[in-house]
Amino acid sequence: IENCLRLYDSWYEQNQDKVEGTEVLVAAPKFGYGGMIDRLVYSRKWGKVIDDYKTSKGFFLDNFIQAAGYSLAAFDWLNTHIDTYRILLFSKTAADFHTLIVTGDAWLLDDKKLPDFGINQVGLRRQFLRNLASMKFHKAGEKMFDSIYEDLKV
């Protein structure tokens, strides 16, 4: 744990981001969801950034799909455009700290550019909305089947 914190402290000192809020409540009422952004910052290098802290074995695409949802809600709720999604990973397995960023079409691991994956911020936002629509469809289906099962019991 000490190594993770030391690496984070070093990263934090190097970045000098202006913190605009922590645990920032955002919502998108027209889409029926909301959430809490771990940290919202302004970075001279990356613009307006959503920081999402994770304690995990690694990075997952769902981390960025969630950040995309936060960016849509930040626009809806705070009238704020988000330029960059940044996952701050405290590794469970390696006592390490890493950052993974997506900004526009670029992906960077610990500030080193990664190959083009063909997934960008627009694609992540679209995937978030598809996932949200799918969840609503499944919830509606559950309600329908619950109603059918209730009718069958009578």
Side-chain angles (χ1 to χ4, degrees):
I1 294 175
E2 287 178 27
N3 189 51
C4 283
L5 294 175
R6 192 175 68 256
L7 291 168
Y8 174 78
D9 286 343
S10 174
W11 172 85
Y12 186 85
E13 287 300 316
Q14 289 173 4
N15 280 277
Q16 296 295 313
D17 296 330
K18 179 181 178 239
V19 177
E20 296 188 354
T22 58
E23 297 298 317
V24 179
L25 177 66
V26 292
K30 65 183 172 191
F31 295 117
Y33 76 94
M36 200 76 86
I37 296 172
D38 290 343
R39 195 169 81 133
L40 187 60
V41 302
Y42 177 78
S43 164
R44 288 187 304 253
K45 189 173 185 179
W46 305 114
K48 189 78 73 158
V49 180
I50 288 175
D51 280 341
D52 196 14
Y53 292 89
K54 299 293 183 191
T55 304
S56 177
K57 293 178 181 178
F59 295 104
F60 300 95
L61 187 57
D62 284 348
N63 302 151
F64 288 94
I65 293 170
Q66 177 187 16
Y70 288 152
S71 76
L72 291 169
F75 185 79
D76 208 31
W77 197 251
L78 306 172
N79 198 28
T80 298
H81 173 76
I82 302 299
D83 301 300
T84 303
Y85 314 150
R86 182 167 56 193
I87 305 301
L88 306 163
L89 177 71
F90 295 87
S91 175
K92 281 185 172 181
T93 55
D96 256 344
F97 170 78
H98 298 282
T99 61
L100 186 58
I101 292 171
V102 63
T103 184
D105 292 331
W107 289 77
L108 297 101
L109 176 61
D110 297 329
D111 286 337
K112 294 177 188 83
K113 195 167 188 319
L114 296 172
D116 182 4
F117 297 121
I119 302 171
N120 60 23
Q121 284 179 306
V122 172
L124 290 166
R125 288 192 295 266
R126 287 182 180 148
Q127 186 60 50
F128 174 82
L129 292 173
R130 282 192 291 270
N131 292 0
L132 189 63
S134 177
M135 282 182 0
K136 287 181 179 181
F137 174 80
H138 288 294
K139 285 184 185 203
E142 287 172 11
K143 275 186 178 177
M144 180 184 76
F145 283 109
D146 287 347
S147 172
I148 290 169
Y149 292 135
E150 278 300 311
D151 289 346
L152 291 175
K153 289 179 187 176
V154 176

